[in-house]
């Protein structure tokens, strides 16, 4: 797969404030960042537009001390959002369930459960289901 010419779907741990994660998320305009979290927030964009989300990640990277809470929510696809990790529960939309391979019965979960789902999500890559080794 050529990540400079083909869209690639990813999730991660970190934010855009200039750390390794932030730099990595700017290496290709074809990155489809579906979900990420750091010590403050959880970000989910179930069906991101690569060009739009790249521009927003660039804006946040250039913003001193940015967090996922700075992400322009009008650019997040339907069913996504940004939630503080201190929230009692997080709503889980149909789009988020599909993006993170969650059971259809899941309509809300704790921040810890959502982060676990992000880490265990199965992605389709090159026609086959794949997930990060645990």
């Amino acid at each position: 797969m050529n990540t400079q010419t083909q869209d690639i779907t990813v999730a991660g741990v970190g934010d855009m404030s200039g750390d390794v994660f932030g730099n990595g998320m700017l290496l290709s305009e074809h990155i489809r960042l579906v979900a990420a979290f750091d010590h403050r927030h959880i970000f989910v964009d179930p069906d991101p537009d690569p060009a739009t989300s790249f521009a927003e990640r660039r804006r946040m990277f250039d913003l001193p001390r940015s967090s996922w809470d700075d992400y322009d929510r009008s650019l997040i696809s339907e069913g996504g959002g940004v939630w503080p990790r201190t929230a009692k529960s997080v709503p889980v939309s149909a789009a988020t369930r599909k993006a993170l391979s969650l059971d259809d019965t899941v309509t809300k979960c704790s921040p810890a459960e959502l982060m676990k789902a992000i880490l265990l999500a199965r992605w389709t890559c090159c026609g086959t289901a794949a997930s990060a080794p645990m």
Side-chain angles (χ1 to χ4, degrees):
M1 170 175 256
N2 183 341
T3 61
Q4 297 305 307
T5 60
Q6 297 172 281
D7 289 352
I8 182 170
T9 301
V10 302
V13 179
D15 59 49
M16 294 303 302
S17 63
D19 62 359
V20 173
F21 181 85
N23 286 302
M25 291 297 99
L26 296 176
L27 289 176
S28 172
E29 294 182 16
H30 291 276
I31 292 174
R32 297 180 71 251
L33 180 62
V34 169
F37 61 88
D38 67 2
H39 62 287
R40 299 164 291 184
H41 299 95
I42 302 171
F43 165 84
V44 177
D45 189 354
D47 189 23
D49 175 83
T52 302
S53 61
F54 179 85
E56 182 62 0
R57 290 193 310 272
R58 166 62 71 189
R59 183 191 71 80
M60 289 178 55
F61 181 81
D62 293 337
L63 185 67
R65 299 184 195 164
S66 68
S67 74
W68 289 115
D69 198 39
D70 295 310
Y71 201 98
D72 182 345
R73 281 150 176 88
S74 71
L75 303 177
I76 297 174
S77 59
E78 184 176 344
V82 177
W83 298 276
R85 285 186 50 178
T86 57
K88 186 171 184 171
S89 69
V90 176
V92 178
S93 68
T96 295
R97 285 192 298 273
K98 181 179 178 184
L100 299 180
S101 306
L102 295 172
D103 189 86
D104 288 341
T105 61
V106 177
T107 59
K108 66 180 180 177
C109 62
S110 71
E113 292 167 328
L114 184 55
M115 291 183 296
K116 181 177 179 180
I118 291 167
L119 293 173
L120 296 176
R122 297 191 56 82
W123 311 104
T124 301
C125 173
C126 309
T128 61
S131 64
M134 296 305 281

